[in-house]
Amino acid sequence: MAKEDDDGKGSYTYDYERPALTVDVVIYTIKDNDLKVLLIKRKANPYKDTWAIPGGFVKNGETLEIAAKRELFEETNVKDIYLEQLYSFGDPDRDPRGWVVTVAYFALISSDNLKISASTDAKDVKWFSAYKLPKLAFDHLKILDYAITRLRSKLEYTNVGFQLLPKKFTLTELQKTYEIILNKKLDKRNFRKKILSLDIISPLEEYKREGTHRPARLYSFNNN
Amino acid sequence: MAKEDDDGKGSYTYDYERPALTVDVVIYTIKDNDLKVLLIKRKANPYKDTWAIPGGFVKNGETLEIAAKRELFEETNVKDIYLEQLYSFGDPDRDPRGWVVTVAYFALISSDNLKISASTDAKDVKWFSAYKLPKLAFDHLKILDYAITRLRSKLEYTNVGFQLLPKKFTLTELQKTYEIILNKKLDKRNFRKKILSLDIISPLEEYKREGTHRPARLYSFNNN
DNA sequence: TCAAAAGTGTTGTGTGTACACCCATGT
DNA sequence: ACATGGGTGTACACACAACACTTTTGA
């Protein structure tokens, strides 16, 4: 019994029932002018043939973050991308097979890494619009709701947004990224003024020409 | 093996090793013009006689939040106080006895609940200044660092601060609370203007008289 | 009458917002 | 020459920061 003389880690006896522990990784990217989430189709029951957030068991000896990175790499073949812990979900009925607690992470992958990533073989792995999700397994809709909320608020007070862009990008691309995530239009002049005042990007001597209009200056992110 | 065909919850076989799962609850209050954290002294090895954040095992059938509330109640005899999930810590070497993953929560308890709380008997339970901590067990210093950072940032963009105050309080008390947590002086006039403009507190027809000076108006928080 | 904290406004500075036109290009 | 997106500045409103004196009380 966890009480009185037992502060939770006070006794030598670990005779409590233990949950299975997984990490789930919400992987976002920007593609086709849309915010995409990577989902995989389940091949076994429960929720057979239902889409789910990629994840897997944490192995003994791993940190939670290492486990998340491993899952991420297995799904996308990409390392060294932005990853942060999101929240832990442990409702006893979240998995019909038993007690499974999951630590959710979220990752941002830039569109220029996309070639490398996903559907490495005929697996059922697919990018879905974060705004048009299929039916999801377990409590994964709740996790995605939580993730997009976190992503939006982080976008307001940090520079995570750059994680989603290629090394070289135009200001319009950057603005589009913000608009897609925040799901609202931003004023072009104000956006540029704001971003440039932050001193976090540098203009390059390169331009992106595309279509029948003036070429757009390319910028790169200053990672200080 | 968690890979390829195994999305983590795709197989029926849960033949992975499972961690012990605990919740730890960082309980804050304001007392004696200081930010205090409730700690308990461990009675068994490892870290026998070392101070630690109260916590305990999660039981099967409980949500994580229920488990945290149960721990909180066991230590403080108080219910219905502010509680939020903080972060999960799962480094494999954080507990010398084995694999123990903890979901940390933080709670805010108002000083008028304090009579009821803590040291219900001769247990080694004590309020410590968050700024003068003793040597701590496990990775609990890391957890407290994380907690105070979260508390500070939440104070800036939410109204959690009121959770730490009695139902009736003066503006000076409120300001002190902010100053103690943020660990910096605030300007009296600016603070009052700001708080009052938020329309979250109402003046009462009561005054707090204390000492040889003008009595201070009491306010109460509007919980909408 | 004195000490001690309560209470109260104004001004400058910076940040967010609204808004419209010219520029460079490809066809 | 025209359609298309790229690129630029100003004016107003509002939030934040700095700052000092009067009020009320108990001793």
Side-chain angles (χ1 to χ4, degrees), chain A residues 4 11-12 17 26 29 52 74 76 110 115 120 144 153-154 162 169 184 186 188 201 207 213 215 219 222-223:
Chain A
E4 294 300 324
S11 77
Y12 279 99
E17 190 177 344
V26 179
T29 197
E74 284 171 10
T76 64
S110 76
K115 324 153 185 112
T120 41
L144 288 181
S153 55
K154 278 242 147 175
F162 294 97
F169 52 86
K184 68 178 177 196
L186 301 173
K188 182 158 59 160
I201 60 173
Y207 298 84
H213 55 82
Y219 288 78
N222 309 335
N223 14 2

Side-chain angles (χ1 to χ4, degrees), chain A residues 133-198:
Chain A
L133 293 168
K135 192 164 178 25
L136 289 161
F138 306 107
D139 55 357
H140 288 188
L141 180 59
K142 193 165 143 196
I143 298 177
L144 288 181
D145 277 349
Y146 200 94
I148 200 168
T149 303
R150 172 79 67 91
L151 174 59
R152 282 185 183 139
S153 55
K154 278 242 147 175
L155 201 61
E156 311 261 23
Y157 69 96
T158 70
N159 300 323
V160 278
F162 294 97
Q163 306 294 334
L164 290 161
L165 288 165
K167 284 199 196 68
K168 300 172 182 181
F169 52 86
T170 68
L171 292 180
T172 301
E173 287 166 349
L174 181 60
Q175 183 178 341
K176 281 256 169 66
T177 300
Y178 274 70
E179 289 179 340
I180 288 163
I181 295 171
L182 300 176
N183 210 11
K184 68 178 177 196
K185 279 244 166 280
L186 301 173
D187 179 89
K188 182 158 59 160
R189 278 175 289 190
N190 294 337
F191 180 80
R192 288 167 182 236
K193 199 189 319 170
K194 174 80 184 305
I195 292 289
L196 291 172
S197 78
L198 295 176

Side-chain angles (χ1 to χ4, degrees), chain A residues 62-81:
Chain A
E62 281 181 330
T63 67
L64 298 172
E65 186 168 320
I66 295 285
K69 280 185 178 157
R70 177 174 52 72
E71 290 299 330
L72 183 55
F73 183 72
E74 284 171 10
E75 295 307 331
T76 64
N77 286 309
V78 176
K79 294 189 180 187
D80 299 322
I81 68 169

Side-chain angles (χ1 to χ4, degrees), chain A residues 1-16, chain B residues 20-24 40-58 71 74-75 94-98 100 102 123 137-138 140:
Chain A
M1 310 113 222
K3 65 168 190 305
E4 294 300 324
D5 311 38
D6 186 344
D7 66 14
K9 283 168 278 176
S11 77
Y12 279 99
T13 60
Y14 278 179
D15 49 4
Y16 284 87
Chain B
L21 183 69
T22 60
V23 286
D24 286 329
I40 64 171
K41 193 185 250 179
R42 290 181 50 78
K43 296 190 168 159
N45 272 316
Y47 296 104
K48 185 169 189 305
D49 297 324
T50 305
W51 294 92
I53 300 166
F57 290 100
V58 181
E71 290 298 330
E74 284 171 11
E75 295 306 332
R94 60 180 294 279
D95 189 315
R97 292 160 302 177
V100 184
T102 196
K123 273 174 78 183
F138 306 107
H140 287 188

Side-chain angles (χ1 to χ4, degrees), chain A residues 1-14 16-24 40-46 52-65 70-71 74-75 84-92 94-95 97-103 105 121 123 138-140 143 146 150 157, chain B residues 1-14 16-24 40-46 52-65 70-71 74-75 84-92 94-95 97-103 105 121 123 138-140 143 146 150 157:
Chain A
M1 310 113 222
K3 65 168 190 305
E4 294 300 324
D5 311 38
D6 186 344
D7 66 14
K9 283 168 278 176
S11 77
Y12 279 99
T13 60
Y14 278 179
Y16 284 87
E17 190 177 344
R18 297 173 172 219
L21 184 69
T22 59
V23 286
D24 287 328
I40 65 172
K41 192 184 248 177
R42 292 180 49 78
K43 297 191 167 159
N45 271 317
I53 300 166
F57 289 101
V58 181
K59 298 173 179 167
N60 192 353
E62 281 181 330
T63 67
L64 298 172
E65 186 168 320
R70 177 174 52 72
E71 290 299 330
E74 284 171 10
E75 295 307 331
E84 78 171 53
Q85 190 183 302
L86 188 60
Y87 201 79
S88 296
F89 298 84
D91 281 12
R94 60 180 295 279
D95 189 316
R97 291 160 302 176
W99 192 16
V100 184
V101 173
T102 196
V103 182
Y105 278 77
D121 51 47
K123 275 175 77 183
F138 306 107
D139 55 357
H140 288 188
I143 298 177
Y146 200 94
R150 172 79 67 91
Y157 69 96
Chain B
M1 310 115 224
K3 65 174 188 316
E4 294 299 324
D5 311 39
D6 187 344
D7 67 13
K9 283 170 278 175
S11 79
Y12 279 98
T13 60
Y14 278 180
Y16 284 86
E17 192 176 341
R18 296 172 173 221
L21 183 69
T22 60
V23 286
D24 286 329
I40 64 171
K41 193 185 250 179
R42 290 181 50 78
K43 296 190 168 159
N45 272 316
I53 300 166
F57 290 100
V58 181
K59 297 173 180 166
N60 192 354
E62 282 180 330
T63 66
L64 299 172
E65 185 168 320
R70 177 173 51 73
E71 290 298 330
E74 284 171 11
E75 295 306 332
E84 78 171 53
Q85 191 184 303
L86 189 59
Y87 201 79
S88 296
F89 298 84
D91 281 12
R94 60 180 294 279
D95 189 315
R97 292 160 302 177
W99 191 17
V100 184
V101 172
T102 196
V103 183
Y105 277 78
D121 50 49
K123 273 174 78 183
F138 306 107
D139 54 357
H140 287 188
I143 297 177
Y146 200 93
R150 172 79 68 92
Y157 69 96

